[in-house]
Amino acid sequence: MRGWLVGIGAATALVLSGCSGESAAAPPPPTSTTTPAPTTTTAPTTTVAPATTTELPLPPPPPPAEPPPTAEPQTTYAAIGGAYYFSSPDGLFQCGIVPLSSRTEAGCQGTTNPVPPRPDDCMINWGNGIRVTNDGPAAFMCSGGVVYTSGGETIDPPLAVGATIAEAGFTCTSAENGISCVDDATGHGFRIAPDSNEVY
């Protein structure tokens, strides 16, 4: 029994010796605790240019609006029943050269000043125009209505300043100072305007 225990002890010593030698031959691998260097990622720097304001030049102003074309004054007047009707450029007077059965006359109707006193034999509108006939000098009119008109819905075409109508032995002219009409044969006539007039 004692010998058996000695044998077990020797065997155990051998085993321990072998383990011990194995440990000496192969030391454990070294442990490396290498800490990686910290990586710093820097975002690329973007340089922002300062905002610039470009002032565009103002557009040129629009061209001035052209006035609508004005109709040229009528310079030819067709006879209506043998008569020629027209108005003053300002439309204040209606005029005509009118052949009648007993006489031919030229006249203009409209408000004018001064006006001579009303004659006793005039019982209707007085002084609203002047006429000249082929049998005497010019005179103010005593009339109940418009005589010198073609009867259209509007007044007859204007006789432009500087224009003349010469028909049936009478000549009527438009000027800055009014409308004048004269009997070519006798030289009698008149000039009429809103604030002046004359008969001869």
Side-chain angles (χ1 to χ4, degrees):
M1 177 91 174
R2 185 176 177 179
W4 180 77
L5 288 173
V6 170
I8 289 177
T12 301
L14 284 173
V15 170
L16 288 174
S17 171
C19 286
S20 170
E22 192 173 324
S23 295
T31 57
S32 172
T33 55
T34 304
T35 304
T39 304
T40 304
T41 304
T42 304
T45 304
T46 303
T47 303
V48 179
T52 57
T53 303
T54 303
E55 293 188 9
L56 297 175
L58 293 175
E66 293 188 12
T70 55
E72 289 295 322
Q74 184 172 335
T75 55
T76 58
Y77 298 81
I80 300 174
Y84 296 82
Y85 299 106
F86 59 95
S87 65
S88 61
D90 55 15
L92 297 178
F93 294 95
Q94 292 176 263
C95 308
I97 299 173
V98 184
L100 302 171
S101 58
S102 61
R103 67 182 187 272
T104 300
E105 64 184 47
C108 289
Q109 288 178 281
T111 302
T112 183
N113 281 302
V115 175
R118 178 195 301 268
D120 293 338
D121 60 351
C122 179
M123 306 304 293
I124 51 178
N125 294 334
W126 166 251
N128 65 343
I130 304 174
R131 70 162 55 109
V132 60
T133 69
N134 56 358
D135 62 359
F140 280 82
M141 295 174 61
C142 178
S143 172
V146 179
V147 174
Y148 304 114
T149 176
S150 62
E153 294 183 0
T154 59
I155 64 173
D156 294 295
L159 185 64
V161 172
T164 294
I165 295 178
E167 298 291 341
F170 288 81
T171 300
C172 292
T173 302
S174 177
E176 293 287 350
N177 64 346
I179 301 287
S180 298
C181 291
V182 63
D183 179 340
D184 298 334
T186 65
H188 292 304
F190 67 88
R191 181 189 59 80
I192 192 168
D195 55 0
S196 65
N197 55 69
E198 59 184 310
V199 294
Y200 47 90

